[in-house]
């Protein structure tokens, strides 16, 4: 199963920090290297991707990926950008 998602934040709506659940006044250096519970930003993780396993994967180095996912994200992003610009 492959997939991607695009999140768009309006200047008048919810902020990214609020969506993920981090304080708005925290500096980038304080959150650098931290992981956040995937339940805060993803609703469709496979059953095997538990929070504990995700922490383990990240702490052990680069996470392998399949190139299809790398192509889906930018394609969806550009499509949303064009739709936004065309109103």
């Amino acid at each position: 199963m492959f997939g991607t998602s695009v999140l768009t934040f309006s200047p008048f709506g919810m902020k990214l920090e609020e969506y993920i659940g981090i304080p708005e006044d925290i500096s980038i250096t304080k959150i650098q290297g931290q992981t956040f519970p995937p339940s805060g930003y993803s609703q469709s993780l496979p059953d095997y991707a538990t929070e504990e396993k995700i922490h383990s994967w990240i702490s052990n180095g680069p996470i392998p990926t399949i190139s299809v996912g790398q192509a889906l994200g930018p394609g969806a992003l550009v499509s949303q950008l064009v739709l936004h610009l065309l109103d």
Side-chain angles (χ1 to χ4, degrees):
M1 180 170 121
F2 301 106
T4 190
S5 61
V6 176
L7 300 175
T8 305
F9 293 91
S10 165
F12 310 107
M14 180 184 285
K15 295 182 180 182
L16 174 64
E17 293 85 358
E18 182 181 352
Y19 183 79
I20 295 176
I22 59 174
E24 287 187 39
D25 59 348
I26 196 166
S27 70
I28 293 291
T29 55
K30 285 190 177 187
I31 61 171
Q32 188 173 7
Q34 290 188 16
T35 58
F36 300 95
S39 59
Y41 52 84
S42 179
Q43 298 172 354
S44 59
L45 289 174
D47 292 337
Y48 65 84
T50 64
E51 192 169 331
E52 294 79 23
K53 285 186 181 179
I54 291 171
H55 283 286
S56 171
W57 296 332
I58 291 172
S59 65
N60 290 327
I63 300 172
T65 185
I66 298 175
S67 62
V68 172
Q70 300 299 318
L72 288 173
L77 177 63
V78 170
S79 297
Q80 290 297 313
L81 175 64
V82 170
L83 289 172
H84 176 72
L85 291 174
L86 295 176
D87 200 25

